[in-house]
């Protein structure tokens, strides 16, 4: 567009690639940065680079971490006989914020969804089975979202873990059905964890 | 927050400083980037750095540019006897997009607003007076927003330029009163430019 320098155009393009940011918002952000000091923009640029260079997935639980294994997997004060299975890291963070769970985690990185072609190989189910096989795990709490895909995934995990004599539970349906775990309020989420019931 | 690496926390902080992005959106963006390649995040980081290192204000019209003077001020095909005065660079871009104006510009970088302490010294009015004094300017079209501050600014400029025998006009009130120039549709904005009337 005439009158817009290329580097500004490019910045607007990059911002509009982000989720929830359209071209108009991207433009607004770029013009906002224009009126700020260069240091403000550089701080954001640095945060981005630091983030991609330092944040990795934990080789045990597949959560995100700067060190491997992650803070939670490496913490000797956590209860090591129980694993809470979540779809995404954001779910783990929501549960941690309740302060009502002190065990370990396993991040699936998605959920079984045959219609979208997401099978057990696309998520970290094999790695969960290995953890259950090789560790002293008494219980696996499934904290998948309370929707069809979550139900399918919970059922699949309960069946695949059945031979290993581990108790498979699921967090209670205190959560609104069809809702999204990440956005539940802390007390609903706490109650759902307390009221977990056997899956099979 | 437990479970969130510091670099992620920092990235979320930086994103939430941007206009229109709350903590929840910032988190969503960060997790989105987590699932993208590092190159995607680095492209955004690079766009930010390129932007702040290469985009400056034009010493003549105070628009943004990678070279000084800017593309428009340096363009011999532009009509050099007419200056369109706008509040912000985004207004200049909106007018350029109509293709109905071929003169020069002057970006005030704000608008007179005594209640917020914005006087003539805070915006580029002195520099506009210098341009009118030293150049062969026949007409100054004021394209300030059609609201109280815009009216005040237009009136002030018309008075301060009166001694120099330049015609001061204002774009027509085809724009909805109280609205924002940047978001006007192209044909309304075109008509407003065509229908400009003398300010005093």
């Amino acid at each position: 567009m005439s009158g817009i320098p290329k580097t500004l155009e490019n910045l607007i393009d990059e911002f509009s690639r982000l989720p929830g940011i359209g071209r108009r918002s991207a433009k607004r952000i770029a013009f906002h940065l224009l009126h700020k000091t260069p240091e403000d923009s550089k701080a954001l640029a640095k945060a981005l680079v630091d983030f991609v260079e330092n944040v990795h997935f934990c080789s045990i639980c597949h959560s995100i971490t700067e060190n491997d294994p992650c803070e939670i997997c490496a913490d000797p004060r956590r209860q090591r006989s129980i694993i809470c299975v979540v779809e995404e890291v954001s779910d783990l963070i929501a549960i941690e914020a309740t302060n009502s769970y002190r065990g370990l985690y396993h991040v699936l990185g998605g959920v079984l969804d045959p219609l979208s072609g997401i099978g057990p190989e696309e998520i970290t189910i094999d790695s969960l089975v290995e953890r259950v096989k090789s560790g002293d795990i008494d219980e696996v709490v499934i904290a998948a979202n309370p929707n069809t895909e979550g139900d399918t995934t919970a059922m699949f995990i309960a069946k695949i873990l059945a031979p290993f004599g581990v108790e498979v539970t699921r967090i209670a349906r205190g959560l609104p059905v069809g809702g999204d775990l990440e956005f539940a309020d802390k007390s609903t989420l706490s109650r759902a964890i307390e009221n977990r019931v056997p899956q099979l």
Side-chain angles (χ1 to χ4, degrees), chain A:
Chain A
M1 199 193 299
S2 171
I4 294 198
K6 251 209 190 88
T7 46
L8 171 60
E9 190 72 58
N10 187 30
L11 183 65
I12 293 172
D13 283 348
E14 287 294 337
F15 270 119
S16 20
R17 275 189 239 288
L18 300 177
I21 301 188
R23 263 201 95 68
R24 187 140 279 168
S25 313
K27 227 158 118 179
R28 192 168 154 226
I29 292 170
F31 282 113
H32 165 87
L33 290 174
L34 197 68
H35 290 281
K36 294 295 211 162
T37 64
E39 283 63 40
D40 287 311
S41 302
K42 284 184 179 168
L44 175 54
K46 191 178 171 304
L48 279 159
V49 172
D50 283 352
F51 173 65
V52 296
E53 284 181 350
N54 294 309
V55 174
H56 311 284
F57 292 99
C58 172
S59 59
I60 300 175
C61 74
H62 309 284
S63 176
I64 52 171
T65 177
E66 291 178 19
N67 305 301
D68 193 16
C70 75
E71 204 182 288
I72 294 174
C73 287
D75 186 347
R77 291 161 307 176
R78 306 289 300 211
Q79 203 184 327
R80 311 194 74 79
S81 59
I82 176 166
I83 295 178
C84 177
V85 176
V86 292
E87 295 179 20
E88 300 291 351
V89 176
S90 45
D91 300 328
L92 179 160
I93 291 166
I95 293 177
E96 280 296 286
T98 69
N99 278 321
S100 54
Y101 177 75
R102 297 297 297 158
L104 304 175
Y105 287 96
H106 193 87
V107 180
L108 292 176
V111 70
L112 292 180
D113 186 2
L115 294 178
S116 307
I118 310 290
E121 301 74 29
E122 273 71 48
I123 59 179
T124 64
I125 285 184
D126 279 356
S127 148
L128 174 65
V129 173
E130 286 308 312
R131 287 179 76 185
V132 170
K133 255 193 208 169
S134 56
D136 293 325
I137 309 297
D138 296 331
E139 182 180 350
V140 169
V141 188
I142 302 177
N145 280 318
N147 54 26
T148 318
E149 293 78 20
D151 291 348
T152 309
T153 308
M155 190 59 77
F156 184 89
I157 292 174
K159 279 188 181 153
I160 210 168
L161 294 183
F164 305 107
V166 67
E167 189 180 11
V168 177
T169 57
R170 184 148 186 214
I171 59 169
R173 300 299 181 105
L175 299 173
V177 172
D180 207 338
L181 193 149
E182 186 183 354
F183 305 121
D185 64 272
K186 291 185 188 184
S187 53
T188 307
L189 198 48
S190 286
R191 184 146 323 160
I193 292 175
E194 284 155 24
N195 296 352
R196 61 187 185 265
V197 292
Q199 169 67 14
L200 276 184

